[in-house]
Amino acid sequence: MIPQEVIRCKRDGGELGLEQVRDFIEGVVSGSWTRAQTGSMLMAMFQRGMNLEETRLLLDEMLHSGELLDMEGIPGHKADKHSTGGVGDKVSLVLAPLAAACGLRVPMLSGRGLGHTGGTLDKLESIPGFNVFLESKRIHRQVAEVGCVIAGQTRAIAPADRILYALRDETATVEHASLIAASILSKKLAEGIDSLLLDVKFGRGAFLQEFENAEHLARLMVDLGRAAGCRVAAWLTCMDQPLGRAIGNAVEVEECIAILKDDGPEEITDFICQLVAGMVELSGQADSLESALEQVRGKLADGSALEKFRQMVTAQGGDAAVLDKPSLLPRSRQVHEVLYEEASPAHVIDVDARAIAEIVLQTGAGRRNAEDAIDPAGGISGLACPGDLLEPGQVMARIHHDDKSRVADWEERLRNAVRLSDQKPVLENRIRMRIS
Ligand code: URA
C-alpha cells in the first residue's frame, strides 16, 4: 500500500481500516513514510476526525510499535494514574508510594514538563542522585521489591508516539481528542497495568481549558482503555488554581515530603488521598470509595507511605537523607518574599494558575521547548491559596530565583494573580465528575 493512498482515503473523509492504520504506524517507525507524508496524514486525521474504531486501531498499533513491560510474574494488582498535566501537579510523587503502601503495584512511567505544566521526572531529579533512566528489567525488579517506581518512558516503549508527538507539535495537530487519547494510552497501557485512573484536567492552568473538551477526551479514553482490556476510570478535575503551595521542582519535592509526613497543605493532601482511594476502589480491594479512603488515610498517617517513598528514592539512587533534611535539596541564590501590605485582613478568593505558571517558567523552573534545561531550584513556595485569611505583613509567596532584575515585575504579576476580598469564599471541590 502506498502512503499516498492511505492519506487520500482519510483526506477525503473515508474510514481507515486495520491494514491502513498498520501501514501508517509501521511506516512512521521504520522511516519508510516521509515526514511530509506523516505530517499530511496527521492533518487529514485532525481535519476529518476519527471514529471510535479507527482510534482503537491507532492506539493498538501505537501500543504494539514497541516493547510492553511484562508485569505478569509480579503478584498483586498493577495500577497507575495519569494526569493530563497542571500547575503544581506533584500528585504522582506522593500517590505512587501511597498506593504501594495500600498494596497496589505501581509501575509509573512519567514525562517531563513543557510550557506551563511541570513534569514529574524533573521534580524527582531535583533529589540528588535520583535516576529516572531505568531499563525494563530494573523497573520490573523494583515493582516486585518496593511496590512502586517512577521512571521515564524508555526509547523502546511506544516509539510511534515519540515520533508522532514531535511531528504533531510541529504541524499544529496536537489538540485532537483521538490523537491525544491514542498518544496517552499507548504509553500507559505499555506498563502492563490492570487498571488506570485518569485525572483529566480542565480550567485556566490545564492543557484543555474547556470542561466539555476535557469530558469528551475522558469518555473516549475510558472507552478505549476498556476495549483494550484495562479497567479505566476518569475524573474531571479543575485546574483553575495551582495544586498546593509550591510550584517548581525542588520546592515541590519539599512540599511532597511534608504531605508524606501528613504535614502538608490540607487541600492537596485530600485530593491525593481521594485519587489513591479511587485507584484502590478500581482495583477491587475496597467495595466503596469511602472505605478505600479510610485505608488510604491510615497509610499516610502511620508513616507507611513515607517509608515507601524512602525505599523508592533509595532504589533509584537518590539521597534519601532529603526526607529528614529537605535543605539538602537544590536551593536558589535568592528568595524574594511577597508580603500582604494592606492594613486589614483579607480572604484569598482566587489564584490564577496560568499567571503563576508563567512566573515560575521565568524563574527557570520550567521549559518552553523540549530541549531547554531547567533550574531545579527555581519556582514559588508558600503561595497563598483560596480560603486563606491574610493578615497584614503575612507572606503571600516566596519566589526562588537567581535573577534580581525581574523581581519587581514578578511581584506585580503575582499580586495581580491573587484575588482578595473581605468576603469569605465558598470553596468548590476540585473533583467535578467521576466517569467509571
Ligand atoms: N500528552 C500526551 O502524552 N500526548 C498528547 O497527545 C497530549 C498530551
Side-chain angles (χ1 to χ4, degrees):
M1 199 175 291
I2 61 166
Q4 288 89 325
E5 279 174 17
V6 184
I7 298 166
R8 194 172 293 121
C9 170
K10 189 78 274 186
R11 185 200 66 186
D12 296 343
E15 179 177 341
L16 299 173
L18 172 60
E19 249 186 83
Q20 290 159 308
V21 176
R22 182 163 290 167
D23 198 71
F24 170 51
I25 295 300
E26 281 177 2
V28 166
V29 177
S30 69
S32 67
W33 276 51
T34 65
R35 282 167 58 83
Q37 287 167 335
T38 304
S40 304
M41 185 64 185
L42 287 169
M43 188 53 84
M45 287 169 153
F46 187 95
Q47 293 287 1
R48 290 294 188 171
M50 312 249 280
N51 64 28
L52 184 62
E53 179 57 12
E54 288 176 295
T55 311
R56 192 191 66 74
L57 290 172
L58 181 67
L59 160 61
D60 200 47
E61 292 306 312
M62 286 169 69
L63 170 65
H64 292 101
S65 67
E67 189 182 273
L68 307 186
L69 294 183
D70 179 13
M71 293 288 141
E72 275 305 313
I74 303 177
H77 185 97
K78 274 71 80 181
D80 196 8
K81 179 241 33 159
H82 176 80
S83 144
T84 53
V87 179
D89 188 351
K90 55 197 73 73
V91 165
S92 294
L93 276 69
V94 178
L95 173 139
L98 183 52
C102 294
L104 300 179
R105 306 276 178 170
V106 188
M108 187 182 279
L109 299 180
S110 283
R112 297 198 177 271
L114 190 59
H116 68 280
T117 61
T120 298
L121 300 182
D122 299 319
K123 294 169 201 192
L124 282 168
E125 280 181 342
S126 67
I127 300 175
F130 195 97
N131 179 16
V132 299
F133 301 103
L134 305 183
E135 286 179 3
S136 358
K137 258 194 192 158
R138 202 160 148 205
I139 293 175
H140 185 279
R141 196 172 69 221
Q142 192 172 318
V143 172
E145 290 174 5
V146 176
C148 60
V149 64
I150 304 181
Q153 183 192 344
T154 68
R155 288 190 72 75
I157 288 173
D161 179 60
R162 205 177 37 254
I163 300 164
L164 289 178
Y165 199 21
L167 265 174
R168 283 168 58 210
D169 196 32
E170 281 178 36
T171 56
T173 51
V174 171
E175 307 91 339
H176 189 281
S178 292
L179 296 174
I180 299 171
S183 164
I184 291 175
L185 291 177
S186 67
K187 291 171 282 202
K188 284 283 140 181
L189 298 183
E191 294 172 349
I193 45 179
D194 304 306
S195 65
L196 176 65
L197 179 60
L198 296 161
D199 173 11
V200 183
K201 301 205 176 288
F202 66 93
R204 280 187 303 229
F207 166 62
L208 294 175
Q209 300 199 8
E210 302 302 323
F211 180 86
E212 291 70 25
N213 295 341
E215 184 186 353
H216 174 61
L217 175 65
R219 291 192 185 279
L220 178 60
M221 290 199 286
V222 168
D223 290 345
L224 289 169
R226 284 190 188 153
C230 186
R231 261 182 248 174
V232 181
W235 292 7
L236 282 138
T237 73
C238 182
M239 225 325 123
D240 278 342
Q241 324 280 343
L243 261 165
R245 294 180 184 275
I247 303 102
N249 297 288
V251 288
E252 289 198 35
V253 170
E254 189 164 350
E255 187 168 68
C256 287
I257 293 169
I259 297 170
L260 284 160
K261 291 180 176 169
D262 210 2
D263 190 26
E266 200 180 317
E267 197 252 349
I268 184 170
T269 304
D270 182 60
F271 181 63
I272 297 172
C273 287
Q274 295 270 353
L275 284 169
V276 179
M279 291 170 74
V280 172
E281 188 195 21
L282 196 57
S283 76
Q285 289 182 21
D287 47 23
S288 70
L289 194 59
E290 290 68 35
S291 69
L293 194 53
E294 207 174 304
Q295 207 188 115
V296 173
R297 289 200 187 285
K299 295 295 177 192
L300 189 66
D302 72 7
S304 313
L306 180 68
E307 181 51 28
K308 276 283 167 224
F309 185 68
R310 190 184 300 276
Q311 290 170 13
M312 180 178 85
V313 169
T314 306
Q316 293 186 232
D319 182 1
V322 299
L323 274 72
D324 307 309
K325 208 173 164 200
S327 59
L328 293 172
L329 289 164
R331 294 281 189 223
S332 59
R333 275 202 295 269
Q334 319 265 346
V335 180
H336 176 73
E337 290 194 337
V338 180
L339 302 179
Y340 174 62
E341 287 167 343
E342 302 303 320
S344 47
H347 295 277
V348 178
I349 56 167
D350 187 30
V351 180
D352 183 337
R354 181 68 71 137
I356 295 292
E358 189 55 38
I359 301 170
V360 170
L361 200 54
Q362 292 185 6
T363 66
R367 54 171 77 75
R368 288 197 193 277
N369 300 302
E371 60 282 358
D372 292 349
I374 58 152
D375 173 4
I380 290 177
S381 68
L383 179 65
C385 286
D388 287 356
L389 178 65
L390 293 178
E391 299 288 344
Q394 191 173 327
V395 175
M396 289 170 68
R398 291 184 187 87
I399 304 175
H400 301 245
H401 68 100
D402 279 343
D403 184 358
K404 263 189 177 163
S405 67
R406 304 180 85 166
V407 164
D409 174 46
W410 290 334
E411 171 163 344
E412 188 187 340
R413 286 198 281 141
L414 193 133
R415 287 187 189 282
N416 290 335
V418 178
R419 276 208 305 134
L420 302 170
S421 166
D422 53 5
Q423 304 286 316
K424 199 173 171 185
V426 178
L427 301 178
E428 263 191 287
N429 192 329
R430 255 179 217 279
I431 305 166
R432 300 290 165 83
M433 187 187 273
R434 293 183 170 94
I435 302 167
S436 55

